């Protein structure tokens, strides 16, 4: 039987059918995760080791659209991400190593949060807490701004385009933990709700058991760390006879574990830790030669 000719799907030019492209700017976003990292953005080159603030920003109107955003924080020197106990990590919610550099992109972003009133409510100390977990769940409107620094000439890009600029907060929509404002009900709906209260009260008595079952059903499944490490490693090394740098493997693994498997930072750290363990790698037919992962002969 002859193969059927593949059906051609023509592109609609109706604006309603268009999808979003380019970099995030002038949009409402949710901070799904944000952390300090020693891993540079893709295609980033620097003569000295640097560290960065890295955020995973999702469009509020389209939660499946997530963009990874890096803000450079300066030369690494003594700075290192760490956990709550001060133990150094490649990525973490806390940072050690002394004061940060004024004027860095990371501080410009944090300053924009402060200027927009992230700590406006009494007793709020998110910026001074030293813990980026305080920013997870933040909803804000962001823009991109090209920063002109005194004494520095903006280096032209090879392709001649304007630099993408720094992502800054223009308005705080909702801070983490803040209750959403209830939408006002129409008068008719409010009256109907009043009449339905007795029936609702009776139904509420039957809810505890059902709620307990629902809570148990919604409990997150335990993460199979080793299985995920094996899956991610296999995907990265397929078609890589020349091998892969450990630094590149960390970045790619972190991106895959977040975007495809929706893992938390803690679980991503566990998976990457086992994935780069030399003894475990040998059991998977991969060797660690210096700073490069190579397939065993």
């Amino acid at each position: 039987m002859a193969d059927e000719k593949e059906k051609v799907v023509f592109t609609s030019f109706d604006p309603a059918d268009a999808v979003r492209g380019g970099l995030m700017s002038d949009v409402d976003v949710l901070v799904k995760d944000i952390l300090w990292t020693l891993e540079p953005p893709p295609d980033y080159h620097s003569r000295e080791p640097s560290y960065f603030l890295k955020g995973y920003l999702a469009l509020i109107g389209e939660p499946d659209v997530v963009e990874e955003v890096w803000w450079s924080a300066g030369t690494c020197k003594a700075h290192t991400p760490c956990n709550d106990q001060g133990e150094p990590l490649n990525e973490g919610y806390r940072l050690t190593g002394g004061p940060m550099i004024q004027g860095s992109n990371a501080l410009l972003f944090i300053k924009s949060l402060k200027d927009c009133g992230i700590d406006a409510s009494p007793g709020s100390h998110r910026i001074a807490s030293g813990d980026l977990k305080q920013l997870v769940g933040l909803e804000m409107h962001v823009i991109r701004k090209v920063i002109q620094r005194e004494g520095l000439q903006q280096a032209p890009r090879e392709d001649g385009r304007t630099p993408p600029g720094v992502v800054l907060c223009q308005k705080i929509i909702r801070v983490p933990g803040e209750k959403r404002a209830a939408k006002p009900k129409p008068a008719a709906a409010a009256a109907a709700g009043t009449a339905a209260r007795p029936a609702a009260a009776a139904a509420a008595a039957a809810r505890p058991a059902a709620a307990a079952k629902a809570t148990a059903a919604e409990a997150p499944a335990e993460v199979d760390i080793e299985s995920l490490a094996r899956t991610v490693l296999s995907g990265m090394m397929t078609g890589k006879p020349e091998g892969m740098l450990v630094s590149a493997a960390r970045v790619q693994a972190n991106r895959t574990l977040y975007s495809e498997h929706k893992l938390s930072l803690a679980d991503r750290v566990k998976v990457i830790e086992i994935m780069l363990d030399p003894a475990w790698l040998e059991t998977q037919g991969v060797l660690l030669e210096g700073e490069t992962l190579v397939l065993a002969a």
Side-chain angles (χ1 to χ4, degrees):
M1 181 177 175
D3 293 335
E4 293 184 10
K5 186 177 180 181
E6 186 177 349
K7 185 179 178 180
V8 176
V9 178
F10 296 102
T11 300
S12 165
F13 50 82
D14 184 343
D17 296 328
V19 297
R20 186 185 167 278
L23 300 172
M24 281 187 174
S25 182
D26 200 19
V27 289
D28 295 338
V29 299
L30 163 70
V31 179
K32 300 196 74 171
D33 207 357
I34 187 166
L35 44 93
W36 298 109
T37 179
L38 298 178
E39 302 295 345
D43 303 322
Y44 181 88
H45 304 287
S46 175
R47 287 174 293 183
E48 298 184 39
S50 301
Y51 70 107
F52 304 83
L53 184 62
K54 180 181 180 182
Y56 295 87
L57 307 184
L59 288 178
I60 291 179
E62 301 175 65
D64 291 334
V65 179
V66 179
E67 184 174 307
E68 298 175 13
V69 177
W70 276 265
W71 295 269
S72 59
T75 305
C76 208
K77 296 182 181 178
H79 291 99
T80 181
C82 64
N83 59 19
D84 290 342
Q85 290 71 46
E87 299 167 337
L89 301 169
N90 282 306
E91 292 186 338
Y93 290 114
R94 292 188 180 274
L95 183 72
T96 62
M100 295 179 62
I101 299 173
Q102 291 185 359
S104 68
N105 288 349
L107 268 189
L108 288 174
F109 168 65
I110 294 171
K111 183 178 183 300
S112 72
L113 294 178
K114 189 173 182 178
D115 292 345
C116 287
I118 191 170
D119 285 335
S121 57
S124 296
H125 303 289
R126 293 178 180 85
I127 297 299
S129 70
D131 186 358
L132 287 176
K133 287 195 290 288
Q134 299 285 332
L135 302 182
V136 175
L138 172 68
E139 295 179 9
M140 59 183 171
H141 186 86
V142 297
I143 58 171
R144 283 185 181 266
K145 184 177 180 181
V146 176
I147 306 299
Q148 300 294 337
R149 290 182 169 87
E150 187 177 352
L152 293 177
Q153 185 175 359
Q154 189 74 49
R157 289 173 47 143
E158 292 183 1
D159 56 12
R161 291 186 296 166
T162 303
V166 180
V167 171
L168 301 175
C169 175
Q170 190 179 50
K171 178 184 177 183
I172 300 290
I173 298 173
R174 190 177 71 90
V175 295
E178 182 182 30
K179 292 183 179 179
R180 298 184 186 278
K183 294 182 179 180
K185 295 180 180 179
T194 302
R197 276 176 194 159
R207 280 184 198 147
K213 289 181 181 179
T215 301
E218 292 170 3
E222 186 175 348
V223 177
D224 188 337
I225 300 297
E226 185 167 356
S227 176
L228 273 175
R230 189 179 300 113
T231 299
V232 173
L233 178 69
S234 174
M236 290 193 307
M237 298 303 293
T238 299
K240 290 278 186 180
E242 73 282 6
M244 174 179 279
L245 288 174
V246 170
S247 58
R250 284 185 188 278
V251 172
Q252 186 171 329
N254 187 67
R255 182 179 297 119
T256 299
L257 291 168
Y258 183 85
S259 60
E260 296 183 15
H261 301 282
K262 312 302 181 185
L263 258 61
S264 66
L265 172 62
D267 285 334
R268 297 200 303 271
V269 169
K270 292 176 184 177
V271 172
I272 294 173
E273 183 178 8
I274 192 173
M275 191 190 75
L276 297 179
D277 178 73
W280 183 83
L281 281 168
E282 288 189 23
T283 68
Q284 307 302 310
V286 178
L287 302 177
L288 180 59
E289 295 184 352
E291 291 297 315
T292 305
L293 300 175
V294 296
L295 296 172

